[in-house]
């Protein structure tokens, strides 16, 4: 039945409770059970002054940032508007209807100062990881590692080719914050010291970012987001930003494994990764620590002319020699040195050769060394570790490991598609570190909320 609109008269007094208006199955209710911020005030105690204007509660800022990264709200200006309007966000941030929302500039001031000086975001991330371990979501027995390119907040139009780039001509005192961070990280393996090769272009606004075309498309400036995860439930155990080159990404694996061991006492039995991590030094580092590398080996032993490759020769470790398919020995040295320093050191590359007289009369010479007088084989320093990885690749567990490796790729897909972190908003290595830590914290909290949701209350009829 239609009728005239009834004008509601405003009530003089209201009784309103945020708790009653937030659905019991809301994501933030489940996440709130696992957010422990009881220690952040103590963590920041040395960074607050006792004079001046009243400071903003750090717990409020962190809760607002968690809301932003859990729901893909990248802009802090928009985040303040959303928290002001959304009842669930107010409830999670412990802000009443009459409380004022902090200004967006407050985040920048604290992020560039107190948060980074105290490594608060790293502390927040590790607290969440500890909760995941406590809830039984991460055993640490099998871990996987991978990296994903995240576009930097930089443009080619504001860049310089490598022939014209001269870092010494920049005044670090008057330079922007991202440029100063670039100078601070020149000696770090994850950034400036990762490789001697200069990028084709260097950005003026974010020179630490890497010009790359790794996606087989148009090149762009980027950082690499490196994840170390536990494959039980896909919990992110550690995260590390690096330049987008293989040396830096592989080197971050050692950093993350060492940090996880020191912080949580976790040492994996399995280490799972793709071929980019299958270099000899990386495999040797893992095998030395009794970690089984379920990693495809970077192997260039194959020969394009169809002759016998190194894999066709059997390795005799006891006698330090290779045995060819015809049963002949290839040795590194054929005499005993009285001076130990002149003998084999066991380090670096070693070349093993057959006797020339043996090869000249061998019936299989056309299949072995048709264009050389004798056959030689080069053995890498970490060939034993490479062989361990090859042997593991023949097991049934290797098939399982390759399926588990996809969990880290799924996390990167979730990071970009659901959380919206396809392009960085902050510049410099510290900005990338802040965004990666907050995003990984949000992903772990969402994982906890999904696997261990808040108990549902039955509604009264």
């Amino acid at each position: 039945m239609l009728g005239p609109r009834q004008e509601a008269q405003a009530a003089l007094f209201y009784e309103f409770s945020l708790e009653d208006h937030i659905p019991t199955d809301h994501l933030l209710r489940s996440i709130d059970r696992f957010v422990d911020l009881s220690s952040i005030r103590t963590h920041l105690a040395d960074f607050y002054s006792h004079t001046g204007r009243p400071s903003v509660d750090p717990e409020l800022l962190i809760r607002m940032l968690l809301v932003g990264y859990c729901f893909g709200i990248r802009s802090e200006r928009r985040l303040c508007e959303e928290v002001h309007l959304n009842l669930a966000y107010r409830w999670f941030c412990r802000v009443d209807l009459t409380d004022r929302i902090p200004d967006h500039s407050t985040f920048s001031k604290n992020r560039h100062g107190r948060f980074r000086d105290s490594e608060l975001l790293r502390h927040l991330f590790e607290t969440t990881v500890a909760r995941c371990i406590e809830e039984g979501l991460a055993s640490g027995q099998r871990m996987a590692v991978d990296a994903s390119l995240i576009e930097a907040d930089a443009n080619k139009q504001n860049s310089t080719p490598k022939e014209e780039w001269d870092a010494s001509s920049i005044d670090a005192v008057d330079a922007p914050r991202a440029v100063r961070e670039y100078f601070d990280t020149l000696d770090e393996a994850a950034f400036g010291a990762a490789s001697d090769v200069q990028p084709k272009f260097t950005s003026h606004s974010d020179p630490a970012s890497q010009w790359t075309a790794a996606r087989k498309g148009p090149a762009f400036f980027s950082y690499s987001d490196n994840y170390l995860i536990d494959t039980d439930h896909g919990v992110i155990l550690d995260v590390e930003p690096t330049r987008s080159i293989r040396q830096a990404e592989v080197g971050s694996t050692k950093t993350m494994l060492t940090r996880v061991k020191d912080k949580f006492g976790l040492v994996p039995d399995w280490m799972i990764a793709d071929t980019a991590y299958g270099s000899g030094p990386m495999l040797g580092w893992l095998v030395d620590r009794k970690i089984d590398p379920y990693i495809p080996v970077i192997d260039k032993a194959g020969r394009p002319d169809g002759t016998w490759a190194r894999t066709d020769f059997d390795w005799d470790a006891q006698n330090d020699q290779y045995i060819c398919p015809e049963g002949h020995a290839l040795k590194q040295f054929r005499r005993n040195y009285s001076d130990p320093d002149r003998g084999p050191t066991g380090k670096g590359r070693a070349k093993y050769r057959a006797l020339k007289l043996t090869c000249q009369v061998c019936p299989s010479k056309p299949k072995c060394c048709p264009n050389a007088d004798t056959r030689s084989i080069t053995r890498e320093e970490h060939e034993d570790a490479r062989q361990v990885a090859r042997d593991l690749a023949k097991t049934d567990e290797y098939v399982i490991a390759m399926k588990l490796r996809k969990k880290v790729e799924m996390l990167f897909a979730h990071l970009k598609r659901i959380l919206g972190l396809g392009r960085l908003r902050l510049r410099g290595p510290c900005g990338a570190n802040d965004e990666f830590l907050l995003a990984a914290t949000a992903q772990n909290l969402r994982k906890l909320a999904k696997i261990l949701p808040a108990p549902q209350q039955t509604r009264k009829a």
Side-chain angles (χ1 to χ4, degrees), residues 145-327:
V145 66
D146 203 356
S148 182
L149 299 181
I150 306 295
E151 188 175 354
D153 185 23
N155 196 294
K156 183 183 177 182
Q157 277 67 34
N158 189 24
S159 65
T160 299
K162 63 179 179 181
E163 296 82 7
E164 303 175 10
W165 175 255
D166 184 13
S168 60
S169 63
I170 301 175
D171 185 5
V173 178
D174 297 331
R177 181 181 290 105
V179 178
R180 295 198 301 270
E181 292 177 7
Y182 161 74
F183 288 115
D184 293 339
T185 57
L186 283 176
D187 296 330
E188 295 184 9
F191 294 99
S195 173
D196 295 332
V197 179
Q198 296 297 320
K200 189 175 181 180
F201 294 96
T202 301
S203 170
H204 297 166
S205 58
D206 193 356
S209 60
Q210 177 73 24
W211 178 258
T212 179
R215 290 178 180 171
K216 308 301 180 183
F220 57 96
F221 290 105
S222 71
Y223 285 93
S224 284
D225 189 6
N226 299 271
Y227 274 3
L228 177 68
I229 74 164
D230 185 281
T231 60
D232 291 350
H233 293 90
V235 172
I236 304 170
L237 297 177
D238 205 357
V239 56
E240 181 76 5
T242 63
R243 292 180 70 183
S244 300
I245 56 176
R246 188 180 64 85
Q247 298 91 325
E249 294 172 357
V250 173
S252 69
T253 305
K254 302 177 183 179
T255 301
M256 291 188 291
L257 283 172
T258 302
R259 195 156 49 202
V260 167
K261 177 183 177 182
D262 295 340
K263 185 65 179 181
F264 306 109
L266 298 179
V267 179
D269 298 328
W270 292 16
M271 190 68 234
I272 307 170
D274 58 23
T275 311
Y277 299 82
S279 62
M282 184 71 243
L283 297 174
W285 190 87
L286 293 172
V287 172
D288 290 343
R289 287 155 179 78
K290 311 300 181 183
I291 302 174
D292 292 339
Y294 287 88
I295 304 173
V297 180
I298 300 177
D299 200 344
K300 300 180 181 180
R303 307 184 67 165
D305 56 0
T307 56
W308 285 339
R310 182 174 56 193
T311 54
D312 295 319
F313 292 72
D314 296 327
W315 170 245
D316 182 4
Q318 184 176 359
N319 297 312
D320 188 28
Q321 63 183 9
Y322 279 98
I323 305 298
C324 76
E326 291 290 345

Side-chain angles (χ1 to χ4, degrees), residues 39-55:
S39 61
I40 66 171
R41 291 186 181 87
T42 304
H43 193 78
L44 292 172
D46 297 334
F47 295 89
Y48 278 87
S49 174
H50 298 288
T51 61
R53 294 186 306 172
S55 57

Side-chain angles (χ1 to χ4, degrees), residues 146 229 274 404-414:
D146 203 356
I229 74 164
D274 58 23
L404 293 174
R405 187 179 65 84
K406 297 185 181 299
K407 290 190 175 184
V408 65
E409 296 177 355
M410 293 169 62
L411 283 170
F412 286 131
H414 179 271

